[in-house]
Amino acid sequence: MELFDAIKTRRSIGIVKEAPVPNELIEQILEAGTYAPNHFHTEPWRFFVLTGASRAELGKVFEKITTANSEDPTTPEMIKKIERVKKNPLRAPVILTVGVEPSSKKNVLIQEEYAAVHAAIQNMLLAAHALGLGAIWRTGAICYEKQVNEFFGMSERGEILGFIYLGYPDMKTPQVKKTSFTNFTTWMS
């Protein structure tokens, strides 16, 4: 797939088939992440590949967080929400969880460490698209909870930045109208 075509046609694909994704494809996606720009070559990205039962284990963490954060977890609405959140990680056969472990070197800016990992995630999304896979980058408040960081063994400085739900597309690619870059650009000379 040509680069500009990949950039312009990549979309968030939230509905994927349960069919397994070959490890070779997952490894290509992970490798693409490591080619993100990264000041001082600190390589702050951390990747976790969840398949099979590990997705349900993450769902249990989501369940505990949602239950603890609710005023009354016994209401019918909250029971439904807790059950839905618990099942969220089962929406795709693979979840690539991406975290940042910022360098503690004096000259390294933490914003640049986060920027590098966000760039890695974009590389991974483009690689998945080029390989014919569907992917969606999911976050939300639950992503940044302490229990999530602990589940993945992140350090006190580290943080999970997102979940890439990955699989073979099972939905029509949405069409999106993009605003022209000219609306956001000022040329200065």
Side-chain angles (χ1 to χ4, degrees):
M1 180 177 292
E2 195 268 328
L3 175 64
F4 285 99
D5 185 46
I7 290 170
K8 290 179 179 179
T9 60
R10 189 217 60 82
R11 296 289 176 267
S12 293
I13 303 295
I15 302 172
V16 295
K17 299 173 184 173
E18 274 299 312
V21 177
N23 286 349
E24 300 80 38
L25 299 183
I26 295 169
E27 289 169 355
Q28 287 181 319
I29 294 165
L30 295 169
E31 183 179 28
T34 67
Y35 279 85
N38 168 227
H39 202 193
F40 297 113
H41 306 285
T42 59
E43 300 179 310
W45 35 76
R46 299 296 180 270
F47 308 122
F48 305 88
V49 180
L50 283 75
T51 60
S54 65
R55 298 169 305 145
E57 292 302 313
L58 179 60
K60 290 177 188 174
V61 174
F62 288 176
E63 175 186 27
K64 287 179 188 172
I65 292 167
T66 306
T67 300
N69 289 344
S70 69
E71 286 184 28
D72 182 1
T74 63
T75 66
E77 296 82 20
M78 279 310 296
I79 290 170
K80 274 186 188 176
K81 180 178 180 177
I82 290 166
E83 194 57 32
R84 179 178 45 82
V85 167
K86 180 181 176 181
K87 291 179 181 175
N88 279 351
L90 303 176
R91 294 181 285 194
V94 180
I95 302 174
L96 302 177
T97 302
V98 184
V100 60
E101 282 290 352
S103 171
S104 56
K105 292 180 183 176
K106 199 166 68 171
N107 60 342
V108 174
L109 299 174
I110 195 157
Q111 295 93 329
E112 292 179 353
E113 299 288 82
Y114 277 73
V117 177
H118 290 132
I121 292 171
Q122 177 67 357
N123 280 5
M124 294 166 75
L125 292 170
L126 287 169
H129 176 53
L131 293 168
L133 295 166
I136 185 168
W137 176 5
R138 295 191 183 273
T139 56
I142 204 162
C143 178
Y144 309 109
E145 290 279 349
K146 183 179 180 185
Q147 297 95 316
V148 172
N149 287 340
E150 290 170 352
F151 179 78
F152 290 103
M154 301 298 289
S155 73
E156 284 296 315
R157 288 176 49 85
E159 183 175 22
I160 296 301
L161 297 183
F163 305 102
I164 300 173
Y165 284 67
L166 183 68
Y168 291 97
D170 198 19
M171 61 178 276
K172 189 174 178 162
T173 302
Q175 298 300 310
V176 178
K177 184 175 178 354
K178 294 289 184 177
T179 304
S180 171
F181 70 91
T182 59
N183 292 323
F184 311 108
T185 306
T186 302
W187 293 78
M188 303 171 75
S189 53

